[in-house]
Amino acid sequence: MEIIEIEFKGIKLLVGGTYIPPEEPVRYYNDMSGHPGSNSDFDINEIFVEETDIYELFGEKDLETIKDLTIEKIEE
């Protein structure tokens, strides 16, 4: 699990979770199968402000934004 510090709405958050790197597309393998590739992802497990886990306070839209900010920070 990785812990990444981001700023969300002016508040410093420590976001804990698992980073999944992007996969490049593969046109064809020898057996003529392929893989379309995938974008990077971050599976959030916890969000801390100081010593308090506030994950449950966020709605789906905010969690998506936090995930995107976390991925941006990792991939800088």
Side-chain angles (χ1 to χ4, degrees):
M1 181 165 75
E2 298 182 54
I3 306 289
I4 307 299
E5 183 177 309
I6 64 164
E7 188 169 314
F8 177 71
K9 295 185 179 182
I11 300 169
K12 290 190 182 202
L13 302 176
L14 293 176
V15 182
T18 305
Y19 174 69
I20 302 156
E23 291 185 26
E24 294 295 320
V26 175
R27 284 279 195 218
Y28 296 104
Y29 292 108
N30 290 338
D31 66 357
M32 298 307 287
S33 65
H35 182 275
S38 63
N39 294 327
S40 54
D41 198 10
F42 191 83
D43 184 27
I44 300 173
N45 295 330
E46 57 193 20
I47 301 172
F48 279 87
V49 170
E50 296 181 9
E51 306 282 323
T52 306
D53 187 355
I54 59 170
Y55 178 88
E56 298 295 325
L57 299 177
F58 293 102
E60 189 175 320
K61 186 176 179 181
D62 283 340
L63 286 172
E64 194 66 31
T65 302
I66 292 169
K67 178 178 84 168
D68 291 343
L69 290 170
T70 305
I71 291 170
E72 285 177 22
K73 181 82 171 205
I74 291 170
E75 294 179 349
E76 292 184 327

